[in-house]
Structure formats: structure tokens, C-alpha cells
Amino acid sequence: MSNQSGAESGLVPGSDAVASFSYQHTLLSRVQHALHSNPALVPLIVLVLSTLVFGALLGTKFFSSFALTLILQQVAIVGIVGAAQSLVILTAGIDLSVGAIMVLSSVIMGQFTFRLGLPPVLAVACGLAVGTFIGFVNGWLIARIKLPPFIVTLGMWQIALATNFLYSGNETIRAQEIEASAPLLQFFGQSFSVGGAVFTYGVIFFILLVLFLAYVLRHTAWGRHVYAVGDDPEAAELSGVNSRKVLISVYALSGLICAFAGWVLIGRIGSVSPTSGQSANIESITAVVIGGISLFGGRGSILGMFFGALIVGVFSLGLRLLGADAQWTYLLIGALIIGAVAVDQWIRKVSA
């Protein structure tokens, strides 16, 4: 009897260990599946925590309607370009020309108004058309000629940037001239107050764009096709999706959104400058990656990118108000990028 009892007592700890391991494994799997199903959850948690930390450190200096809406104003342009970049990355591509398209479109709007004498409405339409056309060319080369997205958009970045400087003659159109002769170009820079919060029309456009794209990607056939092409283009083709048309439409829409970003840029800085927005490429990719959109395509959400852009804005403003060196912002954002990709790799094991 004693031997039997000893054997039973020896089995109990082992059973507890197995049960404990099984519970931990199940818990991790549940977390993994939750993050896989809701890719915007991680950036939302990081955004809330970072806001609370800076709020605790800075008090009402940070937790004020003016400061919080200032963050939105600062990230609006990056967020709009990030929305364009999100669409492309969801198809497992990348667009290094987004910043150049944005600036070239803004230069077209300004130069067509002041050099060619076109009505501002028509000049804006031309700028939007140019951005859409460049995006279409990117998509056509990638979908039809089968060139790698990185190479195509890297080349287009250089072409658009050179065209921008050659056509503008590196000339800046001053804010005073625009305000006097073509105030429409500065439309997105106009602001209004709600309580103590100050919103620009550029911020409103950014928020509406994110909500619109979130709806389209989740509730339309085109949105589902974008995810399908990014996840597995061959399987998408077999299920009846025209991958080429989807890719071309995504890059064309990306170009159009970047052109709108160029219009918002004029409103933000007041002038038309061919040297503005040079870092938009990297900043947009940063917002996308921190926002939990997989660089491998097929997983992520526009809302995640929205949270990712806000995270960058919170860190930038919070550290500035604390009087920290600007390099700390880059250091922390760099750590967040690496962490976001590591989390994405871990989450992807669910579908493996």
C-alpha cells in the first residue's frame, strides 16, 4: 500500500506540471489568436500606455485639448501618406515614392496656378491627376511587367524627385502670395475650434480618410481582394481574383492619396516648397510597421496605422515637453519598430 501511495504521490506533481504548462500554452495561444484577429490591438495598447505615462509625467501640460489636437495636426500628413503606404504593404509590396509623389503634386498645384495662370481648382485637379498617374505607372510596371515593387518605386522616387526640382527650379512660392491669389491651395490649413481643441481641415480629412478606407477594406469585395492578393496571390487568382487589376488599382489609389497629402502639405506649411516632406517615405513606413501591418502582406488594418502615427506623435511631443534631446525620440521609435516586427513574426505563427 505504501508503494502504491508513493507512486500516486509521485504522479501528482507531474500532472500539475503538465496542467500548468498546458494552461500557459493555451493562454499564449489565445493571446496570439486575439492579436492575429485584431492587429490594431497592440498599437492601441501602446498608444494608451504611452499617453498615460506622458500624462502622468507632464500633467495638464500634456493632458490638454490643445496639446492632444496638436498631435493630430503634426501627424496628419504622415498619416495620410501612411494610409497610402498601408494599402500597398497590405498587398505585400512597398512604395518608396510616396513622399516624392506628395511633393511633386503640391509643386504642380502651385506652379500651374502661378506660372501657367490656371484657376486654382483646375491646378489642384491637375496635381491630383499627376499623383494618380504616377501611382498607376508604378502599379502597371509591378503587375504587368512583373518588376519588384522595391525597385520600381525606388526608381520612381528618383524620377519624381528630379522632376520636382527641374520643373520648380527649386523655387518656393511664398505663403503671402498664395493667401492673396489662391487661398484654395491653403484650404486644408484652415482651422476651427471646439472648446479648447483646435482642428484643421487637414486633420478632419485624415480622420475621414482612415474611416473610409477602414470601411472599404473590411466591407467591400475590393478590400477583401487586397488582403487576398497580399496573403497569397496564386490562391487569390485561383479563386477568381484579378490580381493585376487589384495591384494597379491599389498603386493608383495610393498615388491619389499622396497627391491629396501634397495639398494638405501646402495648407500645413502655408507655402509650396520643393524641398518639403523629404522624410515622408520613412515616416509613413514607420507608422505602418508600428501600427501592426505586416510587411509580408495580407494582415493588418488602417486603424492600426492610425494608432501607429499617433504613437510617433505622442512620443515626439511628450519628449519635447520633457526637454529631452530629440535623438531620444528616434531611439525609442527605432526600438518600437524592431519590437513591432518581432511581435508580427510571433503572431504570424498562428497562420503557419
Side-chain angles (χ1 to χ4, degrees):
M1 291 293 290
S2 61
N3 288 341
Q4 184 179 359
S5 176
E8 288 176 353
S9 64
L11 285 172
V12 172
S15 300
D16 290 344
V18 171
S20 175
F21 174 78
S22 177
Y23 173 76
Q24 290 175 3
H25 180 70
T26 304
L27 183 62
L28 279 175
S29 297
R30 286 179 179 176
V31 171
Q32 225 173 356
H33 278 284
L35 296 179
H36 187 270
S37 304
N38 304 282
L41 196 56
V42 173
L44 176 59
I45 292 170
V46 173
L47 176 62
V48 171
L49 289 177
S50 58
T51 302
L52 290 175
V53 168
F54 283 116
L57 292 173
L58 293 163
T60 54
K61 195 176 180 182
F62 183 83
F63 267 141
S64 66
S65 54
F66 176 78
L68 294 177
T69 50
L70 179 61
I71 292 172
L72 278 170
Q73 291 180 39
Q74 291 176 337
V75 304
I77 294 170
V78 171
I80 294 169
V81 178
Q85 190 72 262
S86 298
L87 294 174
V88 172
I89 290 180
L90 282 173
T91 65
I94 195 165
D95 193 344
L96 298 178
S97 65
V98 287
I101 294 174
M102 174 184 73
V103 179
L104 178 58
S105 298
S106 71
V107 166
I108 292 292
M109 293 175 191
Q111 293 291 339
F112 276 28
T113 299
F114 289 91
R115 181 186 293 184
L116 301 184
L118 293 181
V121 174
L122 187 55
V124 167
C126 289
L128 297 177
V130 167
T132 307
F133 176 73
I134 295 174
F136 170 82
V137 172
N138 281 339
W140 186 83
L141 290 172
I142 291 164
R144 294 285 182 180
I145 311 300
K146 302 296 183 184
L147 297 179
F150 183 90
I151 300 301
V152 170
T153 58
L154 179 64
M156 190 59 73
W157 172 33
Q158 298 293 332
I159 292 170
L161 204 59
T163 304
N164 163 40
F165 286 117
L166 288 171
Y167 182 65
S168 68
N170 208 16
E171 173 193 0
T172 296
I173 301 174
R174 296 180 303 169
Q176 295 88 339
E177 296 178 60
I178 297 174
E179 188 176 355
S181 305
L184 177 66
L185 297 182
Q186 297 176 335
F187 169 74
F188 284 114
Q190 297 175 22
S191 61
F192 61 93
S193 298
V194 179
V198 180
F199 294 93
T200 63
Y201 290 115
V203 167
I204 300 302
F205 176 78
F206 170 41
I207 294 172
L208 291 177
L209 175 67
V210 168
L211 293 175
F212 172 74
L213 290 177
Y215 175 83
V216 168
L217 288 170
R218 182 178 288 270
H219 297 289
T220 67
W222 182 83
R224 290 188 288 272
H225 293 169
V226 169
Y227 280 102
V229 169
D231 188 46
D232 190 337
E234 293 181 1
E237 285 281 356
L238 290 174
S239 64
V241 176
N242 190 326
S243 297
R244 291 180 178 179
K245 283 187 177 180
V246 171
L247 284 173
I248 292 173
S249 66
V250 163
Y251 280 90
L253 179 56
S254 172
L256 175 61
I257 293 171
C258 290
F260 268 107
W263 189 5
V264 176
L265 178 65
I266 298 174
R268 174 66 179 162
I269 65 177
S271 59
V272 175
S273 173
T275 59
S276 59
Q278 298 297 324
S279 59
N281 295 341
I282 300 301
E283 290 175 346
S284 67
I285 295 172
T286 298
V288 169
V289 172
I290 293 176
I293 295 179
S294 175
L295 289 172
F296 300 98
R299 197 185 69 81
S301 73
I302 291 289
L303 285 177
M305 182 283 305
F306 178 73
F307 297 144
L310 289 178
I311 288 168
V312 175
V314 166
F315 272 85
S316 299
L317 181 62
L319 290 171
R320 194 182 313 143
L321 291 175
L322 286 171
D325 192 304
Q327 299 307 318
W328 281 104
T329 303
Y330 296 113
L331 188 150
L332 292 173
I333 295 302
L336 280 174
I337 291 171
I338 295 171
V341 174
V343 169
D344 175 60
Q345 291 283 61
W346 178 66
I347 293 171
R348 284 178 66 85
K349 290 179 183 178
V350 173
S351 57

